[in-house]
Amino acid sequence: MTAVQGTTVEIPTEDGIADAYLVHPGDGRPRPAVLFYQDAFGLRPHLQSMADRLAGAGYTVLLPNVFYRNGRVPVFDLPEFIDPAAHPNIWQQIMPVMMALTPELAMRDAGAWLRFLADSPLVAGGPVATTGYCLGARLSLLTAGTHPDRVAAAAGFHGGHLAIEEPDSPHLVAGRITAEVYFGHADQDASLPPEQIQRLEDALTAAGVRHRCEVYPGAHHGYTQADTPAYDQEAYERHWSALLDLLERTF
């Protein structure tokens, strides 16, 4: 792992200015880019530390505040340790904001994130990779299908509602994906029951997408998030092995 340098950046979008965290190896050389999508709790220190670890492996990482329409980071008033069972008002803050981020808006923003990376002197030329957590897993999949010419690899971890029976379900973009795809599902996850896991697998297979989808035994939704009760150290490290393996094959 190399030393990294992170900073807050401002990204123009079609709907305003988004704040984001950009981190890269400290030598300042152009590196392959990873677009890192947050979970529902938003951009915060734990996600920044994850982005730092990814940058330390040799990548330039962009972690945008996808809820920027509702304010700069921190968008929500969250405790240092996020336990919705102890603080039920957390979901009252988050759900309206999350529901307002429609796939259409999120993919309009994805164009801005990708343009920013394409223009950055810290990013090597060529396509990028995406990764995402919870809500971000959906955004990672949608971005791969919406911008197939720009995304070479897409990963998602403990994603929810990936293959629902709605016309805007993320799995329906499978036919447009050219990236290699990896998903690490939590097997204790009410937001992604077995029938959705199978529906996603079937869609990716039918579309001929290079992919691997794995269920992490005993892991709960949010298993990568150390500032929540769902955190699972074994699953967290397994996720890093899978993600870095995908990136090494891509770049």
Side-chain angles (χ1 to χ4, degrees), residues 3 8 14 17 38 42 44 51 53 67 118 122 126 197 212 214 218 236:
T8 298
E14 293 185 36
I17 302 294
Q38 65 178 64
R44 60 196 191 281
R53 178 167 172 174
F67 296 148
L122 296 168
I197 292 175
R212 188 163 88 250
E214 298 180 316
Y236 179 67

Side-chain angles (χ1 to χ4, degrees), residues 11 23 29 35 42 56 79 85 92 95 111 127 131-132 144 161 166 175 177 180 196 207 209 214 232 234:
I11 302 178
V23 60
R29 290 167 45 205
L35 173 55
Q92 295 173 16
M95 286 305 295
T131 188
H161 309 292
E166 300 294 339
I177 292 174
E180 182 176 350
Q196 285 197 46
V209 176
E214 298 180 316
D232 183 316
E234 182 178 352

Side-chain angles (χ1 to χ4, degrees), residues 42-73:
L43 204 163
R44 60 196 191 281
H46 175 63
L47 290 186
Q48 290 179 317
S49 72
M50 291 178 67
D52 289 349
R53 178 167 172 174
L54 190 50
Y59 303 97
T60 293
V61 183
L62 180 67
L63 171 57
N65 169 21
V66 302
F67 296 148
Y68 71 92
R69 293 176 181 84
N70 297 88
R72 296 177 63 86
V73 172

Side-chain angles (χ1 to χ4, degrees), residues 137-154:
R138 299 205 301 272
L139 300 182
S140 181
L141 181 61
L142 285 168
T143 301
T146 305
H147 299 276
D149 59 325
R150 293 287 293 122
V151 179

